Amino acid sequence: MAKIPSALVAAGGLVGGYGVARWTRKRQLGGVVLAAAGTVAAAQWRQRAGGKAAGALGAAYVAAFAGSHPLARKVGAWPSVLGVAGAVALASWAVADRRG
């Protein structure tokens, strides 16, 4: 199986979680997608960069999710989600993916 970069997993979790919640109108289902991708990404971060880096990237993932809500009031929902997903992807690549 091909290796999927943790940056893609994390960004996909944020974008996919929002998309599922929006299109199904079931926020809990979007939360499942968000949590599942976050769990997979965290395992990759821990394996590739260690526990401290995984903790910091996990905090960034949660902060991005939380921060996307107030940001959405200013720039719109999709631009907000895409912006925070991009930021988390960049951090994930810089800390964990570019080493491999």
Side-chain angles (χ1 to χ4, degrees), residues 2-21:
K3 291 183 181 179
I4 299 173
S6 62
L8 183 59
V9 174
L14 289 161
V15 173
Y18 174 69
V20 167

Side-chain angles (χ1 to χ4, degrees), residues 30-61:
V32 169
V33 172
L34 179 79
T39 301
V40 170
Q44 290 178 316
W45 295 328
R46 189 170 31 268
Q47 180 184 27
R48 295 176 185 169
K52 287 183 183 180
L57 289 168
Y61 186 77

Side-chain angles (χ1 to χ4, degrees), residues 16-33:
Y18 174 69
V20 167
R22 180 173 177 132
W23 290 315
T24 64
R25 297 180 189 227
K26 299 196 184 309
R27 294 177 76 181
Q28 300 86 350
L29 193 55
V32 169
V33 172

